[in-house]
Amino acid sequence: MNIILFGPPGSGKGTQSKFIIDFLNLKLISLGYILRNYSLKNHKIRRLLNSGNLVPNYITTGIVKDYIFNNYTQNGYLFDGFPRNIIQAKSLNFIKIDYVIELYMCNKLILNRLLGRRIHVNSGRIYHVLYNPPHKYGVDDITGEKLVSRDDDTNISVIKKRLSIYYYELIYIRSYYKKLFNKRKIKGYFRINAENNINFVKEKILNILS
Ligand code: AP5
């Protein structure tokens, strides 16, 4: 089963991805996580991420294709943060997408989520100072290493940029997948209110997928 999970920044894609891949035994393709790793060595990618702009399609589509060819699985893939535009969506035509899940929520709550998010850099584990705190303040539950804010979460104008790009592309992506759904080329297109707490959203998604 191949699933696309998309939603605005901070809507919980990374958080929910973990539950979905464990539930269905899928491989996770998280573009943001992959690109953040690239950005440690590539200053052009780092600049793009820190400015809130998208990384060019030729790079992202190449990463996804390489990942799929090098990480074959019969069970399927969960795409977190890909596609983000029509070119990326069409680049996935070589595999069958089964379900598309769109998370939605209001911008005010998004801001709280992003400003309070902390991550463990090496693993990508995600926390929130209020909504999903680590056992011990400021450190990762598993390794005890320090948690940090993402650079693109600390600047309000960068957050606004990420949101504006997302909402601009959303219209095209939604209509693209709705058309595929109407032609029965995908099995389901679901919209989930991501303003509820983590477990509530998780139950909603897993119910749909089971
Ligand atoms: P990416 O890392 O994908 O960032 P994003 O899309 O902005 O999404 P986020 O990671 O910010 O949020 P999320 O939805 O995963 O939320 P999370 O679970 O962490 O991409 C980063 C950058 O990489 C992009 O800006 C772009 O430059 C580049 N990029 C990535 N993909 C690309 C592509 N395809 N093409 C081109 N460029 C690309 O949750 C957020 C916080 O809220 C956490 O603290 C969490 O604990 C908390 N939380 C989660 N769910 C809940 C809940 N239900 N209730 C309360 N708190 C919650």
Side-chain angles (χ1 to χ4, degrees), residues 5 11-22 28 78 80 103 126 194 196-206:
L5 180 62
S11 55
K13 301 182 293 295
T15 303
Q16 296 298 332
S17 290
K18 173 82 185 72
F19 303 132
I20 300 171
I21 59 165
D22 287 351
L28 172 65
L78 173 66
D80 161 9
L103 302 178
I126 303 164
N196 296 298
N197 69 46
I198 292 176
N199 273 330
F200 190 91
V201 177
K202 171 186 164 187
E203 291 308 318
K204 282 258 171 204
I205 295 177
L206 299 191

Side-chain angles (χ1 to χ4, degrees), residues 33-73:
Y33 176 68
I34 294 172
L35 290 170
R36 268 187 293 288
N37 278 339
Y38 273 41
S39 77
L40 299 175
K41 289 189 186 144
N42 183 318
H43 71 274
K44 278 190 189 152
I45 291 188
R46 186 160 62 242
R47 235 186 3 243
L48 282 167
L49 261 58
N50 290 348
S51 67
N53 284 299
L54 292 185
V55 172
N57 291 327
Y58 76 91
I59 297 179
T60 53
T61 55
I63 290 174
V64 169
K65 281 189 179 144
D66 280 356
Y67 182 91
I68 292 174
F69 288 123
N70 293 321
N71 294 274
Y72 175 74
T73 170

Side-chain angles (χ1 to χ4, degrees), residues 25-178:
N25 198 16
L26 304 179
K27 288 214 186 236
L28 172 65
I29 306 182
S30 164
L31 246 286
Y33 176 68
I34 294 172
L35 290 170
R36 268 187 293 288
N37 278 339
Y38 273 41
S39 77
L40 299 175
K41 289 189 186 144
N42 183 318
H43 71 274
K44 278 190 189 152
I45 291 188
R46 186 160 62 242
R47 235 186 3 243
L48 282 167
L49 261 58
N50 290 348
S51 67
N53 284 299
L54 292 185
V55 172
N57 291 327
Y58 76 91
I59 297 179
T60 53
T61 55
I63 290 174
V64 169
K65 281 189 179 144
D66 280 356
Y67 182 91
I68 292 174
F69 288 123
N70 293 321
N71 294 274
Y72 175 74
T73 170
Q74 279 191 328
N75 292 339
Y77 301 90
L78 173 66
F79 297 90
D80 161 9
F82 188 96
R84 295 207 187 215
N85 56 35
I86 291 297
I87 291 176
Q88 294 184 7
K90 289 186 175 164
S91 79
L92 283 180
N93 282 348
F94 69 103
I95 60 167
K96 173 150 180 30
I97 299 298
D98 296 292
Y99 294 101
V100 176
I101 298 175
E102 178 196 332
L103 302 178
Y104 65 91
M105 62 186 293
C106 74
N107 284 353
K108 194 173 163 219
L109 288 178
I110 285 176
L111 207 59
N112 290 343
R113 296 245 184 120
L114 296 181
L115 294 174
R117 172 165 55 190
R118 300 291 180 270
I119 59 161
H120 177 241
V121 174
N122 288 334
S123 66
R125 271 186 287 281
I126 303 164
Y127 299 86
H128 190 280
V129 289
L130 294 178
Y131 310 133
N132 185 24
H135 298 315
K136 197 172 157 204
Y137 179 79
V139 296
D140 178 49
D141 288 347
I142 312 280
T143 62
E145 288 165 355
K146 204 173 156 219
L147 300 178
V148 296
S149 293
R150 267 171 47 178
D151 288 339
D152 57 347
D153 282 348
T154 52
N155 182 327
I156 299 286
S157 63
V158 171
I159 293 177
K160 281 188 180 160
K161 173 90 171 227
R162 288 158 66 196
L163 285 168
S164 74
I165 294 173
Y166 175 77
Y167 285 113
Y168 176 81
E169 299 290 355
L170 172 64
I171 300 160
Y172 301 102
I173 297 203
R174 200 187 265 159
S175 96
Y176 178 76
Y177 284 112
K178 289 227 161 150

